[in-house]
Amino acid sequence: PVGHINPSLVGPSDRPPNLSSKMSTARRKLLLMGKSGSGKTSMRSVIFSNYSAKDTKRLGATIDVEQSAVRFLGSLVLNLWDCGGQNAFVDNYLTAQKDTIFANVAVLIYVFDITSTEWDVDLKYFEEIVTALRENSGDARVWVLINKMDLADKEDPKRTKYEARKADIVGVDERVGKGKGELRCFPTSIWDESLYKAWSSVVHTLIPNIGLITSHLTFLRDLCLAVEAVVFETDTFLVIAKSGSPLDGDSSTLDEREVAGNAKVLDRQRFEKISEIVKGFRKTCQRNGEQWVGFESTFDECKVVLEPLTKNTFILVVSVDPIMEVGMLQYNIRESQLHFSEFAQKSTLDRKCG
């Protein structure tokens, strides 16, 4: 019947499957760099250690390089190298440690402080770092986060300073990168949801089978007569994938289902806002000895379900079809759990989704 998953195709499951013992681990090296005081360690702590923005005030400066392995989606391990930004450390990275620091890098995340009064010096260090990166990891992507936007927006609400800084950064990459890799720039602040948008974009590109996840997520969305289905990572609550159009697409990239459901009117920042709200609420639950397990609600124009999909992910499904009930959405999600858990192990499936 319409809106119902055939259990023989996807397999029943009473709880999110744990197939971690069968997973092959994929490792990706991420460099987190920027001048001292730019906010690198603060944003890392907010995303990966569940710090609130207020909590980061007690963090000290990073000394040399702090390495941490963050398991993501069970089978993907992010080897995060948080590099201290004091001048002596940066000079050492570019000389004695150059072959070690910049080898086998998947992504460089470089953080600028929008309030810096030494922009020319900051830009010079960035150019030297990108040059070293291209010499040792030519295909690495570069994500630039222009941080502390909450301070700049007070005096520059139109963000003219941000656009000028961005143009300078793109100019450096075009001159040094010579078309290699990819550079993207984001305005960020640890005090709002912008941080989640930037880091979700980074992680999204590192998922090796993202196309497969997206196509099967779209199938589930259509089966649920929904407008969209979105997958979040359980611990960080970063967005991993969404159904239909690309994660960073605009209204021109919407597919037929999204157009029919009037998805163009949805808040462009809805995913990162959900990430921030859920992490904050989950932390409140923990302080009160409660465990957050999910969310469901029926509104006048839509029905929303947010609950576990696999051990490492949550799924958000939004349906505007009047015949679809919350219970059916939950049933379809639970019947698809085993099917989606297979994505951690392979880049293709032996059987189709429908």
Side-chain angles (χ1 to χ4, degrees):
V2 174
H4 175 227
I5 289 182
N6 185 343
S8 65
L9 293 177
V10 297
S13 176
D14 294 326
R15 60 184 179 184
N18 178 8
L19 300 182
S20 58
S21 61
K22 301 178 182 179
M23 294 177 183
S24 57
T25 299
R27 295 182 178 274
R28 300 289 185 270
K29 180 178 177 180
L30 276 70
L31 287 185
L32 180 58
M33 306 189 81
K35 295 299 294 295
S36 180
S38 60
K40 304 182 300 299
T41 303
S42 292
M43 62 174 60
R44 185 195 75 182
S45 299
V46 169
I47 295 294
F48 295 105
S49 301
N50 292 318
Y51 275 57
S52 67
K54 186 177 180 180
D55 293 337
T56 63
K57 293 180 179 180
R58 66 174 184 262
L59 293 171
T62 301
I63 304 302
D64 202 5
V65 179
E66 292 184 5
Q67 295 187 39
S68 57
V70 181
R71 183 168 290 276
F72 206 85
L73 279 180
S75 62
L76 175 64
V77 174
L78 305 182
N79 288 329
L80 186 60
W81 293 38
D82 185 355
C83 303
Q86 292 88 339
N87 292 347
F89 293 144
V90 176
D91 290 341
N92 195 37
Y93 304 151
L94 294 169
T95 53
Q97 297 188 62
K98 183 176 179 180
D99 294 339
T100 301
I101 295 290
F102 296 101
N104 303 312
V105 176
V107 173
L108 165 65
I109 303 171
Y110 197 92
V111 183
F112 283 100
D113 179 354
I114 188 69
T115 67
S116 173
T117 57
E118 299 180 333
W119 178 246
D120 291 340
V121 175
D122 297 347
L123 207 60
K124 175 178 177 293
Y125 270 118
F126 175 67
E127 181 168 347
E128 292 176 352
I129 285 170
V130 173
T131 300
L133 178 72
R134 293 300 176 222
E135 291 173 355
N136 291 271
S137 300
D139 295 328
R141 294 183 174 93
V142 179
W143 259 250
V144 174
L145 311 186
I146 301 181
N147 199 33
K148 302 186 181 181
M149 290 300 301
D150 54 297
L151 301 178
D153 285 344
K154 296 176 182 179
E155 299 179 357
D156 182 24
K158 293 184 178 180
R159 294 192 168 180
T160 54
K161 186 176 182 179
Y162 166 77
E163 293 298 334
R165 296 286 193 256
K166 179 180 177 180
D168 289 342
I169 292 164
V170 171
V172 168
D173 184 65
E174 290 177 347
R175 182 168 64 254
V176 175
K178 300 177 181 178
K180 294 183 179 180
E182 175 186 342
L183 182 141
R184 296 192 63 186
C185 198
F186 290 88
T188 60
S189 168
I190 63 172
W191 295 95
D192 62 32
E193 68 278 355
S194 60
L195 198 60
Y196 291 93
K197 180 178 179 63
W199 280 87
S200 290
S201 179
V202 172
V203 172
H204 178 77
T205 64
L206 297 175
I207 308 298
N209 49 1
I210 192 65
L212 186 68
I213 295 175
T214 299
S215 63
H216 286 248
L217 198 58
T218 301
F219 180 87
L220 176 61
R221 177 204 66 179
D222 294 348
L223 204 61
C224 291
L225 306 179
V227 177
E228 66 183 6
V230 187
V231 173
F232 298 84
E233 198 274 334
T234 296
D235 292 330
T236 63
F237 235 77
L238 295 175
V239 178
I240 296 169
K242 67 175 289 290
S243 58
S245 57
L247 183 62
D248 56 355
D250 55 30
S251 59
S252 66
T253 63
L254 299 179
D255 67 10
E256 292 183 6
R257 173 74 67 172
E258 291 168 322
V259 171
N262 206 23
K264 66 180 180 180
V265 304
L266 297 176
D267 188 343
R268 290 288 303 275
Q269 297 176 321
R270 61 192 180 279
F271 303 138
E272 50 266 34
K273 287 181 177 179
I274 291 170
S275 298
E276 184 185 34
I277 291 169
V278 167
K279 286 193 74 174
F281 182 70
R282 189 165 58 186
K283 192 169 184 178
T284 300
C285 290
Q286 292 171 346
R287 285 200 301 264
N288 289 279
E290 301 290 343
Q291 182 178 5
W292 181 79
V293 295
F295 171 83
E296 63 180 73
S297 187
T298 299
F299 301 97
D300 292 339
E301 298 181 352
C302 69
K303 299 174 181 70
V304 180
V305 171
L306 176 62
E307 64 175 54
L309 180 64
T310 69
K311 180 187 177 185
N312 304 105
T313 61
F314 270 70
I315 186 170
L316 170 73
V317 178
V318 181
S319 178
V320 296
D321 196 296
I323 72 170
M324 181 59 68
E325 299 295 336
V326 167
M328 183 61 78
L329 296 176
Q330 293 173 322
Y331 178 82
N332 284 345
I333 289 171
R334 289 164 188 170
E335 291 297 331
S336 66
Q337 287 173 342
L338 183 60
H339 183 74
F340 274 92
S341 70
E342 295 182 35
F343 295 136
Q345 306 176 80
K346 56 184 75 174
S347 58
T348 60
L349 289 180
D350 301 328
R351 52 187 171 77
K352 294 184 177 180
C353 195

